[in-house]
Amino acid sequence: MALTDKQLERYSRHITLKEIGVRGQKKLLAAKVLIIGAGGLGAPAAMYLAAAGVGTIGIADCDSVELSNLQRQIIHTTDDIDKPKVQSAAETIKSLNPDVEVITYHEYVNSKNIASMIADYDFIIDGADNFPTKFLINDACVLGHKSFCHAGILRFEGQLMTYVPDVSPCYRCVFEAPPPKDAVPSCREAGVIGAMAGIIGAMQALEAVKYITGQGELLTGSMLVFDGLKMDWRKVKLPKRNHHCPVCGDTPTITELADEEQVSCSLRPQ
């Protein structure tokens, strides 16, 4: 596949990079990335992946755009209020880069549909806003042998880590199960600074680009934690493997996908 003159111009800043070049750009154009959640994290991740020329982007979200979303969910505009988020996101992506094919899933992600949803994608981005869905994404990716990037934000803080099968610990290796309902404040209660979504969501896109092109070091075996008030980055080393992990340990107890009780928002929501 030869790049067209317009593609050579559009992706010229990528092609100039020795780590990407024409070969890397072709990998991006052939790649498929699924973003679960078109909110605070998924919005910037989707826009940067579209701008990068990722050939197929899937967007899964069951919600519609609300006015309160616009403080951080930059893929949507005021004119998109009451529109399904997947539709709004797809329209923005197509206007940004017509090279990209967008596949939308206007449905609630659950144990019945997630396995088939992730099956055809090379990389998954966790932009979910609640703990049960985050754990479900982890379990589906572990059982389905898929790589994904987890992230979460709350107030002025953010975190992210990347899972690659047979290489790194999974989300359950670090956090075995969701916390009890109402044990942590929701995004509505605690708030979140809009720019934090942009910072962490863009870093999820960067992890996807590095994975697709095979360049750099992924956040496998580490969790990156950012305090926006102090402008402090910490890279927390994770155990190589949790032998007692219920999904990827020596004797896993989770061998089939199941839905856990839904809560309103995650510890570090979108």
Side-chain angles (χ1 to χ4, degrees):
M1 175 185 72
L3 300 182
T4 67
D5 290 342
K6 285 188 176 181
Q7 288 175 326
L8 289 170
E9 181 177 358
R10 179 185 286 272
Y11 307 119
S12 60
R13 301 304 188 272
H14 272 178
I15 293 169
T16 300
L17 296 169
K18 64 179 179 65
E19 294 87 354
I20 305 295
V22 171
R23 183 179 180 183
Q25 191 59 53
K26 288 181 178 180
K27 288 182 179 181
L28 290 169
L29 288 164
K32 298 180 178 181
V33 176
L34 174 66
I35 301 171
I36 299 179
L41 294 167
M47 292 182 75
Y48 272 108
L49 290 174
V54 170
T56 302
I57 296 177
I59 307 280
D61 199 300
C62 64
D63 290 334
S64 296
V65 179
E66 300 176 1
L67 182 60
S68 62
N69 299 152
L70 304 184
Q71 165 257 9
R72 63 204 177 281
Q73 299 179 19
I74 60 171
I75 205 166
H76 314 298
T77 70
T78 303
D79 290 340
D80 294 321
I81 290 173
D82 294 329
K83 187 182 295 183
K85 287 185 179 179
V86 294
Q87 179 186 345
S88 170
E91 291 170 355
T92 301
I93 289 171
K94 293 303 291 184
S95 66
L96 176 63
N97 190 350
D99 282 347
V100 179
E101 178 186 1
V102 185
I103 300 173
T104 60
Y105 305 87
H106 187 214
E107 55 190 295
Y108 179 72
V109 176
N110 57 52
S111 62
K112 301 295 190 297
N113 61 16
I114 190 170
S116 60
M117 195 178 289
I118 68 174
D120 292 334
Y121 291 90
D122 304 307
F123 193 84
I124 316 299
I125 286 185
D126 165 19
D129 67 352
N130 60 81
F131 276 120
T133 303
K134 288 184 177 296
F135 279 89
L136 179 62
I137 292 169
N138 176 82
D139 297 349
C141 287
V142 171
L143 296 178
H145 216 68
K146 296 286 183 177
S147 299
F148 79 98
C149 183
H150 152 80
I153 54 175
L154 186 68
R155 300 188 181 98
F156 287 84
E157 298 181 355
Q159 67 178 39
L160 71 159
M161 61 175 280
T162 295
Y163 167 78
V164 174
D166 303 322
V167 172
S168 57
C170 76
Y171 188 59
R172 278 194 192 269
C173 287
V174 184
F175 307 106
E176 183 174 342
K181 186 176 180 179
D182 300 324
V184 295
S186 70
C187 55
R188 190 181 301 273
E189 295 164 341
V192 61
I193 191 72
M196 183 58 65
I199 293 167
I200 303 300
M203 295 190 75
Q204 287 186 284
L206 179 59
E207 286 288 276
V209 169
K210 290 191 299 179
Y211 177 82
I212 292 164
T213 59
Q215 296 298 317
E217 296 182 6
L218 296 169
L219 284 168
T220 50
S222 298
M223 179 173 287
L224 193 62
V225 182
F226 178 51
D227 183 333
L229 282 177
K230 297 179 181 178
M231 297 303 283
D232 178 48
W233 291 95
R234 290 186 297 116
K235 197 171 184 180
V236 180
K237 188 172 179 59
L238 302 175
K240 288 186 176 181
R241 182 173 175 232
N242 182 350
H243 293 278
H244 304 290
C245 176
V247 69
C248 73
D250 294 339
T251 55
T253 56
I254 298 173
T255 57
E256 295 182 355
L257 297 176
D259 295 308
E260 302 192 53
E261 183 182 3
Q262 185 70 35
V263 295
S264 59
C265 220
S266 73
L267 176 62
R268 281 161 282 271
Q270 62 174 325

